[in-house]
Every structure is written in structure tokens, then in C-alpha cells.
Amino acid sequence: MNLFDTFVGSVEQALTWFVTKVDGPLWDITIITLLGVGLFFTVITGFVQLRLLPRSLREMWSGRTAEGNSLTPFQAFTTGLASRVGVGNIGGVATAIAIGGEGAVFWMWVTALIGMSSAFAESSLAQLFKVKEPCGLYRGGPAYYITKGLKAPWLGACFAVSLIFTFGFAFNAVQSNSIVEATRNAWSWDPEYVGITLVVLTAFIIFGGVKRIGVVSATLVPMMALFYLIIAVIILGMNMSAIPAIISRIVTQAFDFSALAGGMFGAIFSKAMLMGIKRGLFSNEAGMGSAPNSAATADVKHPASQGLIQMLGVFVDTMIVCTCTAVIILLSDNYGSETLKGISLTQNALQYHVGDFGLHFLAFILFLFAYSSIIGNYAYAESNIRFIRNKPSFVLIFRLVVLFFVYFGAVNHGNIVWNFADTVMAIMAMINLVAIVLLSPIVITILKDYMKQSKAGNKEPVFNIEEHPELLKRGVDKDIWS
């Protein structure tokens, strides 16, 4: 064993110890907080996820142009979607079903529907508190609105560090691990060579900067999502008569508490609930504090516009893509097998429906999904690295560590990779959820301003900071919103 292999093994041991000590009790608290905050914003915004869903479609479609070097609202949306739509929709759904049963899908839906309001809140705040770099690009996210809006730079730094570990390291390891599993099942590719290839491809993108990430995401994400959904629709169409029974089983088993999750609140949470919420959050990221980092990069005229666009991403991710995957799995012959979990379960389901083509098709699509997620994840993490220290040498070291974890995920067992991701994801989400509740009065101000202009007939509301002088005291950049 060479020195590098020894180092990789040491990292695995350290992560295993960390996850064992922290994950269980942390997730007990996170579930209650996640659902509570989602319900809170649902109520105080007047069910914004239902009232303004049609408006979010219009905002997304009309936001395809921007001035200067800034990302368009559509590119920011697809960068966020690049991170959302991917392994969580394929492997995450399969893992949730394998461990939590069919009822886990219901709790993924709940997480998404409630979380859409949290997604609106966090992305609107990210837009409001964004900053402009000398090159003309915007940066922002929870680290920025925590530091400025709450006057808590220490907490902003804590969030930035948690996001860097979650997206820069843990989630990218999950993506590469999933690519390895899919390509090994389909083509028997060697994990080490796949890992090295991913490192090279990732390096090409991340050294090209956030603008290249936006351009690549805007091209790849709609194409690959469309291909996957076409196959899903064909399979669902072939089995239309069986779908109502599957939906009924999903809802019924969601409230089966015979299999408890254990932990601090084991008598309250079932395995279905725990896995559904965990994998739902991993997939749609609503309230986690990740999507606001891409939302802040867009050039929009009103903060609520990008909030609505990012809210739509949660809906597309879970209610459409995840549901398609779940039904495909539940329509197959082998979803209850203990030997099939994660990507393998989804590949087996596609193979059952469309033959060997499904096995190879999913490996190819998953490669695109996971690769686009890697670069989307990197975009989030880079914004927070620059928040901590915007120095070229510091960013270079960070990029090298990201590449290490891409390789680490490829050559390690899936359990440690997923468990590490779950743990750091919960830490990150808790910080952000507390922050957006404390900043909720500002969210309401943004939404009221947007609705006032909409009701007055303004098809493209424009936010004017001079009408809200109290926000200038909270650190909002006057030059951006004048």
C-alpha cells in the first residue's frame, strides 16, 4: 500500500468515527426543525408555493437574458437544478425505498411541498444581500445574509465551512461513488480509473470559473432531464393501470409506524419518515441553504423573482423526477430484494421494464446527472470559500481538496460516503433554518413589495431599496438595488 492509499484509508476512518458519534441525535432534531420551519413559512407567506407556482414558471422562462458577465436567472436556476436533479433522484429514491419502504416516497413529497416555501425565503434573501465583484459577477448565499442581516459574522463563517464540507467534499464524493456503481453494473469499469477520469473532467470545469459552470449546466441539465423523463413517461404509460394502486400503497405505508427509526425520538419517527425526509432533503435541498448560492449569482430586478424560480426547482426535482423514479422502481419485480439498493435497484428496475438498454441508458444518464451535480456543488462551495478568504492561493488549495474527495468517493464503499453526506448536510441545514426564521420579517417585506407591484399591473416588478430604508441598516448594497 502506497502513501496515498494510506492517507485515503485514514480519511475513511476519521469520517466513520465522526458519523458514528453525531449522525443519529443530530437528525432527530433536524427533522423537527425542517418540517417546523417549512410550515412556518408556508403560513406566513400565505402558501406562496401554491399561490405563485404559475408565476414562478413565467419568471423562469422569461429570465433567459442578463446584462454583462452576470448569470441569467435561467442559468442560475439550472445551476441549482444541476445540484438538485441527479443522484438524489435516482440512487437517493432507491435507497429511501430499500430502507424505509414505499411510504418513504410520501415523506419525500411532504418535504418538498412544505420546503418550497423555505426555498422561496432563502433564495429571496440571497438575492437581497448579494454582493458584486469587480468583474461584474454576483456572489451571495446564507453566509452573506447571516453576516449582514443578522450581524453575526461568526455564524456566517460556520455556515460557510459547513457548506464547503457538505457540497465541496461530501456530496461530490456521493456523486462520484454513484457514477462508479452505475458504470460498474453496466460495463464493469474499474473504480480507480473512473475516479481518475472524473478528477480530470471536474478539474477542466472548476478551473474555468462559475460562468463556465452556468453555461454547461444550462445546456446539460434540460437535455438529460428530458431524456430521463421521456423514458419514465413511456414506462408509466405502459403501466398506467397499476399506478393508482402504487400511489395508494405509498400513502398507506407512510403512516405505518411498526418499523421505528430509533434514536432520541424513535417512538415518533418511522423508518419511512426518516429516510423519506433525509433523501428528500438530499434531493431537493429545500431549506438546506445550498440553492441560495446559485440564486444570488443571477441578475434580476427583484429578489422575489429568483426566489420563485428556485422554489420551482424543488417542485420539479421531487414531485416530478423523484416520483417518476419511485414509480418505475415500485412497478418492477425486484424492489423488495435485500441485495439491491441505491443505484443498482434503479438500474434493475429499468432493465426489468426496457431490457438491457435500461441498464446502459441509466449508467450514461447518471454519469451526466452526477457530473453536472459535481460542478453545481462546486459552484456553491467556491462562493463560500471566497466568503471566508477570497485569495487565489486559498481557492487553489480548496479546488485540490475537492478533486481529492471526487476520487475518494469513487474508490470507497457507499455507506461511509452517504453517511458522511447525511451528517454534514444536517449541520448545514440547521444553521440555515434558524437564520431564515430570524430573518423572516425581511422575507415578508420582499414578498409584499413584489405582490404590490404585481397587483398594480407591473409584469416585471423592480425592487427599489430607497422605498425600504430600514434594509440599508441591515447591510443591503444600495448600488445593486437603487
Side-chain angles (χ1 to χ4, degrees):
M1 181 178 289
N2 59 40
L3 185 61
F4 182 75
D5 290 336
T6 302
F7 177 71
V8 172
S10 298
V11 172
E12 181 181 5
Q13 291 178 359
L15 295 182
T16 301
W17 177 87
F18 173 68
V19 168
T20 302
K21 297 293 184 182
V22 176
D23 187 68
L26 178 61
W27 264 102
D28 289 336
I29 299 170
T30 301
I31 287 176
I32 293 175
T33 306
L34 182 71
L35 296 179
V37 171
L39 288 170
F40 171 75
F41 278 107
T42 296
V43 172
I44 69 169
T45 61
F47 290 81
V48 64
Q49 64 266 56
L50 301 180
R51 286 192 301 121
L52 298 184
L53 185 60
R55 181 93 189 195
S56 68
L57 286 165
R58 189 168 72 185
E59 289 280 5
M60 183 271 293
W61 185 249
S62 63
R64 289 170 291 157
T65 58
E67 298 178 0
N69 292 325
S70 300
L71 294 183
T72 67
F74 181 73
Q75 285 177 334
F77 168 75
T78 54
T79 299
L81 205 59
S83 183
R84 283 194 178 107
V85 177
V87 169
N89 306 93
I90 301 175
V93 173
T95 302
I97 293 173
I99 299 175
E102 295 162 274
V105 180
F106 175 85
W107 293 107
M108 293 184 78
W109 294 340
V110 170
T111 303
L113 288 174
I114 294 177
M116 286 173 69
S117 62
S118 302
F120 169 80
E122 62 185 359
S123 292
S124 297
L125 287 169
Q127 265 292 321
L128 182 67
F129 287 97
K130 68 185 179 183
V131 299
K132 194 170 187 177
E133 294 184 319
C135 63
L137 293 174
Y138 293 111
R139 282 190 290 114
Y144 296 80
Y145 58 66
I146 291 172
T147 297
K148 293 184 175 184
L150 295 180
K151 307 297 182 185
W154 65 272
L155 188 59
C158 287
F159 177 85
V161 171
S162 69
L163 185 143
I164 290 164
F165 271 84
T166 302
F167 280 84
F169 308 152
F171 280 12
N172 278 345
V174 167
Q175 305 297 336
S176 60
N177 183 270
S178 299
I179 290 175
V180 164
E181 183 179 352
T183 55
R184 182 170 51 207
N185 291 340
W187 307 310
S188 301
W189 285 1
D190 185 280
E192 187 169 350
Y193 291 132
V194 173
I196 293 172
T197 302
L198 286 173
V199 167
V200 173
L201 293 175
T202 303
F204 172 75
I205 293 295
I206 67 177
F207 282 98
V210 69
K211 182 67 176 179
R212 179 179 289 178
I213 293 172
V215 172
V216 171
S217 298
T219 304
L220 275 182
V221 173
M223 178 186 70
M224 65 186 181
L226 180 62
F227 287 164
Y228 182 70
L229 287 175
I230 287 173
I231 295 293
V233 169
I234 291 173
I235 294 173
L236 267 57
M238 293 166 55
N239 298 273
M240 190 64 67
S241 61
I243 293 177
I246 287 176
I247 301 299
S248 177
R249 294 206 313 267
I250 288 173
V251 175
T252 301
Q253 292 196 22
F255 299 96
D256 179 6
F257 286 81
S258 59
L260 299 179
M264 189 185 306
F265 301 108
I268 301 175
F269 302 143
S270 65
K271 284 187 177 180
M273 188 176 185
L274 179 66
M275 291 308 302
I277 293 174
K278 271 188 176 184
R279 293 295 161 255
L281 181 61
F282 177 86
S283 181
N284 62 53
E285 303 173 18
M288 191 194 298
S290 50
N293 293 273
S294 63
T297 62
D299 180 16
V300 296
K301 295 181 179 180
H302 200 288
S305 298
Q306 198 65 30
L308 292 173
I309 291 173
Q310 295 296 346
M311 182 182 79
L312 178 64
V314 176
F315 182 86
V316 172
D317 172 89
T318 305
M319 305 309 296
I320 298 178
V321 185
C322 284
T323 300
C324 286
T325 300
V327 174
I328 288 172
I329 291 172
L330 297 178
L331 282 169
S332 68
D333 63 337
N334 226 355
Y335 79 86
S337 171
E338 294 185 2
T339 61
L340 291 175
K341 295 180 180 179
I343 299 299
S344 299
L345 179 57
T346 313
Q347 283 184 298
N348 176 81
L350 276 178
Q351 190 174 23
Y352 170 80
H353 291 296
V354 297
D356 288 342
F357 166 77
L359 183 70
H360 301 297
F361 170 78
L362 189 62
F364 173 71
I365 286 295
L366 187 77
F367 185 93
L368 294 180
F369 271 137
Y371 180 59
S372 68
S373 292
I374 287 173
I375 60 178
N377 292 344
Y378 172 80
Y380 292 157
E382 183 190 282
S383 177
N384 285 268
I385 275 289
R386 294 185 182 278
F387 169 82
I388 296 173
R389 195 167 203 179
N390 195 7
K391 298 289 185 180
S393 58
F394 198 66
V395 174
L396 175 61
I397 293 172
F398 161 70
R399 287 172 174 171
L400 294 176
V401 178
V402 168
L403 295 176
F404 166 79
F405 271 94
V406 169
Y407 179 80
F408 177 86
V411 298
N412 270 278
H413 194 275
N415 284 345
I416 181 57
V417 173
W418 278 96
N419 291 338
F420 174 47
D422 281 342
T423 304
V424 292
M425 173 175 69
I427 295 172
M428 174 181 156
M430 284 296 297
I431 297 173
N432 183 62
L433 290 168
V434 171
I436 62 176
V437 168
L438 295 175
L439 293 170
S440 58
I442 297 179
V443 176
I444 297 304
T445 297
I446 294 171
L447 181 58
K448 285 183 176 178
D449 184 271
Y450 182 89
M451 293 306 301
K452 179 182 177 181
Q453 294 186 51
S454 297
K455 291 177 180 178
N458 188 348
K459 294 183 178 180
E460 191 175 14
V462 177
F463 189 77
N464 186 353
I465 192 63
E466 294 176 0
E467 296 180 7
H468 305 280
E470 73 279 4
L471 293 181
L472 291 173
K473 299 177 183 179
R474 305 297 290 268
V476 177
D477 191 325
K478 182 179 180 180
D479 293 336
I480 292 177
W481 298 109
S482 293

